């Protein structure tokens, strides 16, 4: 059991409130003040409705300790704890390909700190890559409104570099050079499958086929 | 928000207790008195450790209403509710293939009632099948100690038959004729990937390739 970061629910609500304010203040209609997670969820719904792909966010894992069963009413969980997830947040299927990714946002402008990922997420991406999944991180530089699909192979390399040589972040330039940038839009909010198409094309070229 | 069946946690515990009793009473070392879910989780762990496949059970979706943040202690969820899942329980990746399945057990001996599935699970399996995923139900006749990997195509057909013609269950004979039976064992407890291999082989034969 891993201790969950304190205050995990409140910052999200605060972010949502900030998001609304940002929308009023600044006429940015592309990302519409949404968090990265909201943009991805909206995109997944679009892909699902259009029959393009089936990708869902996994529920937060919870350890349930005490449940009340009030008469004539639904069960109420009265004591439970957040658990560390053993996988990434998103997975699904697209044209026969298994997709697996983690989404992370930062307010930084020049680099992305690797400590935003957890060791088990990197391990999970490695395991899925070994099984020929399409694995990546979707990194949002929220202040810059720039979004990158960074293939897991590069992320794993950067992670190992951190552990071996102490380089604790990926610079924006490194991310630019090793990722597919996607532009935030309307439908879908984040067309990340365009980047997935390019990962698939690259892989086909490498292997001659799938 | 869908009302969660009352008493959902207690029956599981009762089943586990029964499982232990069954183990003591009867020297069945194959399924070792495990529930179907326990057998699948153990199999998934085996497949993961051996680098054969990456399949995880999705956490139960919970709507969190109230969280306490005690000082110097981890967050405690004080009010939360079970939510209806929008997908099946298990998915993952195996040799480049997307796997998606739902596990259901019954104490029946001659048929499997379709009401054990939820409409959204059938819909989700259809959506994943459209994306060329390997989709199935893992059905356990626990009293008979017989386990079947039933391809989603047949399950969907049976479901539609229920809705159109009122036939509310699949008979054991129908399941035998349209599934791959797997034998419960030690490592893994339920070698369901053997059935997946046969689904993949059938599909290759149908399509000439993948």
């Amino acid at each position: 059991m891993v201790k969950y970061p304190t205050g995990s629910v409140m910052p999200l609500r605060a972010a949502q409130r900030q998001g609304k304010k940002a929308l009023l203040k600044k006429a940015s209609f592309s990302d519409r003040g949404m968090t990265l997670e909201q943009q991805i969820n909206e995109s997944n719904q679009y892909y699902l409705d259009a029959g393009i792909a089936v990708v869902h966010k996994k529920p937060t894992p919870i350890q349930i300790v005490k449940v009340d069963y009030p008469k004539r009413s639904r069960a109420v969980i009265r004591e439970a704890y957040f658990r560390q997830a053993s996988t990434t947040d998103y997975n699904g299927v697209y044209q026969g390909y298994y997709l697996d990714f983690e989404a992370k946002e930062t307010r930084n402008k020049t680099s992305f700190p690797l400590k935003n990922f957890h060791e088990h997420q990197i391990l999970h991406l490695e395991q899925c890559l070994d099984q020929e999944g399409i694995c990546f991180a979707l990194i949002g530089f929220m202040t810059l409104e720039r979004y990158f699909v960074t293939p897991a192979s590069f992320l794993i390399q950067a992670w190992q570099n951190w552990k071996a040589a102490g380089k604790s972040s990926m610079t924006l330039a490194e991310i630019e050079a090793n990722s597919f940038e996607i532009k935030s839009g309307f439908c879908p909010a984040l067309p990340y499958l365009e980047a997935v198409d390019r990962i698939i094309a690259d892989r086909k070229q490498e292997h001659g086929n799938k």
Side-chain angles (χ1 to χ4, degrees), chain A:
Chain A
M1 185 61 43
V2 176
K3 197 178 160 186
Y4 203 80
T6 308
S8 60
V9 170
M10 297 313 289
L12 175 63
R13 291 202 185 135
Q16 285 169 337
R17 277 198 305 273
Q18 277 179 4
K20 277 183 195 163
K21 273 184 211 158
L23 183 62
L24 292 173
K25 263 202 233 165
K26 196 184 72 161
S28 165
F29 287 104
S30 57
D31 64 9
R32 283 162 285 169
M34 291 193 286
T35 64
L36 183 61
E37 181 179 321
Q38 287 169 328
Q39 290 182 74
I40 294 171
N41 291 347
E42 202 183 272
S43 304
N44 288 343
Q45 191 61 51
Y46 168 81
Y47 287 137
L48 185 68
D49 293 343
I52 295 170
V54 183
V55 181
H56 290 276
K57 184 173 192 295
K58 292 191 180 180
T60 305
I62 303 285
Q63 184 180 24
I64 298 170
V65 175
K66 184 167 176 284
V67 184
D68 281 355
Y69 300 97
K71 274 180 191 166
R72 280 176 293 280
S73 182
R74 62 185 171 149
V76 189
I77 298 163
R78 286 296 180 198
E79 184 185 350
Y81 299 91
F82 294 101
R83 290 170 55 193
Q84 181 85 55
S86 49
T87 66
T88 48
D89 270 352
Y90 297 90
N91 74 357
V93 59
Y94 168 58
Q95 295 180 1
Y97 292 96
Y98 173 80
L99 306 187
D100 198 296
F101 62 98
E102 184 65 27
K104 296 285 186 198
E105 56 175 75
T106 182
R107 313 290 311 170
N108 284 12
K109 292 177 185 176
T110 56
S111 69
F112 187 86
L114 286 160
K115 67 168 160 40
N116 285 337
F117 291 95
H118 301 290
E119 181 106 45
H120 67 271
Q121 292 171 333
I122 303 292
L123 177 65
H124 174 74
L125 288 171
E126 270 186 296
Q127 290 166 335
C128 292
L129 214 50
D130 283 346
Q131 291 298 324
E132 301 170 44
I134 306 287
C135 308
F136 54 92
L138 211 169
I139 296 176
F141 284 87
M142 304 312 277
T143 314
L144 307 175
E145 291 185 25
R146 292 184 68 183
Y147 304 90
F148 296 91
V149 167
T150 304
S153 53
F154 178 72
L155 179 65
I156 291 163
Q157 198 184 306
W159 182 271
Q160 286 166 347
N161 210 22
W162 176 26
K163 296 303 168 186
K167 188 174 174 299
S168 66
S169 64
M170 301 181 282
T171 66
L172 177 57
E174 285 167 347
I175 290 173
E176 285 173 331
N178 292 282
S179 309
F180 301 98
E181 184 162 4
I182 46 175
K183 297 291 174 191
S184 145
F186 272 106
C187 266
L190 274 184
Y192 67 84
L193 287 182
E194 291 173 11
V196 168
D197 285 336
R198 294 174 65 184
I199 294 176
I200 292 170
D202 283 0
R203 184 179 292 191
K204 277 184 180 161
Q205 214 161 26
E206 267 174 50
H207 297 291
N209 55 10
K210 195 209 164 202

